[in-house]
Amino acid sequence: MFVLVEMTDTVRIPPWQFERKLNESIAEELNKKLANKVVYNVGLCICLYDITKLEDSYIFPGDGASHTKVHFRYVVFHPFLDEILIGQIKSCSQDGVHVSIGFFDDIVIPPESLQQPAKFDEAEQVWVWEYETEEGAHDLYMDIGEEIRFRVVDETFVDTSPTGPSSAEASTSNATEEVQKKEAPYTLVVTMCINFYSLVSVVVYSVSEIAPLSQGTDCFKLTMKQSQNERSGKGEKQSFSCGCSVF
Amino acid sequence: MEVKDANAALLSNFEVYQLLTDLKQQRKESGKTKQSSGQQNLNTIMYETLKYISKTPCRYQSPEIVREFLVAMKDHKLTKAEKLQLLNHRPVTAVEIQLMVEESEERLTEEQIESLLQTVTTILPGDPEEQHRDSAMATEDKDKALL
């Protein structure tokens, strides 16, 4: 989930901070500059790991501050392709399920990547997985706040640096054109479908009772109940009986 | 600013957890002499990341446990990414292993998957409360079966 990125930068220390230790001032400046920010094609920066090299500090004419070239390593959130992560469903909309990990929210599951068949329930604004078994369809709702596992399929970096002033024709009728679309600088596209296994919930059943079905046959009736704390559907406990032969 | 190497090393959740708790300790000790406006971003990201990692099994790990785990993993011939995922998630079921290990049906037999699960659950500590609960339930079920 996290990687170490080696970077280089020139850090400016203003004169009123000269009394502090250089390492501390530089660490603080770097964190101030990079923490919680997305660097293009690198990822979401978390915090400074260490400073590997400090070059000589220079003071330039006209500016009383010192400038130091620093080589450092930074902890960055950048999941690799096909990595499995656990997150919580933040919201559902027509264009997919939005998942969040707390410190990073721009994770989206497009409708194609949900287990088929899945449909969007307009009334409750949630995606529903219609799980077919011989007994009938179970609707597994993807409720808000539910913890799910997902696999990273794709990532998109958008350069959100400010663009220059547009040409002269934009000076007229500016009021309507001022709508700036806030694009997320770093988005993850993920999926929940892998092989035949659902990543939403792993339901484990344990046998609580075995009783012979009828005289003279080898058939037994097994009563099973959910043994682990995994959710299936809207949090109801499902228990069912099925018959099978014991070999 | 220049990025020299965007992928210098992979970090496990445990290492990031340690780093952030040490940093938090340091900042608490040095007192509130810093201007909060610039530090707000760092505070936010530290708080959220710590909150997330504290809910994973990495909370109970230590450097020795990680080393022991990696040594035990040597025989199973897994890639670095797979070992990292096993370390971060601590899978307890075969389904989870099949998700994290690519083409596990071809590379690992059932016994190997079982032994992998055993190694993971014995070396990596899980949530002590849950383990307590599970062992209590196990003894309860055993008692019921004996009756």
Side-chain angles (χ1 to χ4, degrees), chain A:
Chain A
M1 213 188 321
F2 299 102
V3 287
L4 215 53
V5 178
E6 282 175 11
M7 300 198 254
T8 322
D9 196 12
T10 310
V11 176
R12 177 183 184 270
I13 310 283
W16 49 89
Q17 288 184 14
F18 280 174
E19 58 182 357
R20 300 175 61 191
K21 284 193 123 70
L22 184 62
N23 282 40
E24 277 176 26
S25 309
I26 291 190
E28 193 186 315
E29 281 298 310
L30 287 174
N31 276 329
K32 210 190 286 190
K33 177 172 181 180
L34 290 173
N36 206 15
K37 305 246 169 82
V38 172
V39 177
Y40 189 59
N41 281 341
V42 170
L44 173 70
C45 297
I46 309 283
C47 74
L48 181 72
Y49 186 73
D50 63 4
I51 298 176
T52 40
K53 184 168 159 190
L54 275 179
E55 296 189 15
D56 292 335
S57 306
Y58 293 93
I59 297 185
F60 296 112
D63 183 11
S66 77
H67 299 254
T68 321
K69 187 156 181 203
V70 190
H71 299 251
F72 57 97
R73 295 190 289 189
Y74 220 84
V75 177
V76 174
F77 170 70
H78 190 183
F80 51 85
L81 200 60
D82 287 344
E83 183 171 356
I84 309 278
L85 295 175
I86 304 182
Q88 290 186 324
I89 297 184
K90 195 174 62 169
S91 68
C92 291
S93 72
Q94 279 292 359
D95 42 66
V97 180
H98 300 269
V99 187
S100 138
I101 333 183
F103 56 93
F104 186 71
D105 282 350
D106 297 311
I107 303 175
V108 68
I109 311 181
E112 308 84 55
S113 309
L114 293 170
Q115 297 95 329
Q116 298 303 331
K119 74 170 200 293
F120 187 58
D121 187 348
E122 287 291 341
E124 302 195 26
Q125 292 284 305
V126 283
W127 280 92
V128 184
W129 179 32
E130 290 154 344
Y131 183 60
E132 293 277 336
T133 60
E134 305 80 43
E135 302 182 327
H138 296 273
D139 278 349
L140 301 181
Y141 284 82
M142 306 208 185
D143 292 322
I144 304 217
E146 269 203 32
E147 214 179 69
I148 64 167
R149 279 162 218 263
F150 52 87
R151 169 173 294 184
V152 177
V153 161
D154 190 25
E155 64 188 12
T156 330
F157 282 102
V158 174
D159 192 4
T160 53
S161 32
T163 51
S166 40
S167 50
E169 28 107 34
S171 55
T172 56
S173 73
N174 262 5
T176 46
E177 285 172 19
E178 277 306 304
V179 182
Q180 297 251 330
K181 277 196 75 186
K182 274 183 112 182
E183 259 202 279
Y186 181 32
T187 328
L188 285 178
V189 175
V190 303
T191 178
M192 291 215 290
C193 289
I194 283 85
N195 303 332
F196 328 103
Y197 300 104
S198 138
L199 289 179
V200 173
S201 61
V202 175
V203 186
V204 176
Y205 289 91
S206 68
V207 178
S208 66
E209 202 182 300
I210 306 183
L213 200 53
S214 54
Q215 289 280 18
T217 63
D218 289 331
C219 292
F220 288 86
K221 178 175 156 195
L222 297 169
T223 310
M224 312 217 264
K225 67 176 203 289
Q226 259 178 271
S227 61
Q228 278 189 6
N229 186 20
E230 301 290 335
R231 283 163 293 253
S232 156
K234 288 200 132 177
E236 314 117 13
K237 268 201 156 177
Q238 291 187 345
S239 69
F240 58 89
S241 342
C242 68
C244 67
S245 302
V246 179
F247 294 98

Side-chain angles (χ1 to χ4, degrees), chain B residues 1 4 20 28 34 42 44 54 64 97 115 134 146:
Chain B
M1 191 178 79
K4 281 261 137 63
L20 290 176
K28 228 190 266 186
K34 315 187 164 54
L42 180 64
T44 313
S54 307
E64 297 80 33
I97 300 255
S115 81
D134 284 346
L146 287 176

Side-chain angles (χ1 to χ4, degrees), chain B residues 41-86:
Chain B
N41 267 330
L42 180 64
N43 292 342
T44 313
I45 193 76
M46 264 177 55
Y47 170 70
E48 294 284 352
T49 313
L50 228 35
K51 197 163 87 165
Y52 175 76
I53 299 188
S54 307
K55 289 194 282 202
T56 67
C58 307
R59 209 176 359 148
Y60 310 105
Q61 291 170 359
S62 75
E64 297 80 33
I65 293 181
V66 176
R67 207 172 303 136
E68 204 187 314
F69 177 76
L70 288 174
V71 164
M73 284 289 129
K74 261 198 208 160
D75 317 313
H76 294 274
K77 293 204 191 50
L78 298 169
T79 66
K80 204 196 265 201
E82 290 163 358
K83 284 188 274 197
L84 184 64
Q85 283 190 76
L86 293 177

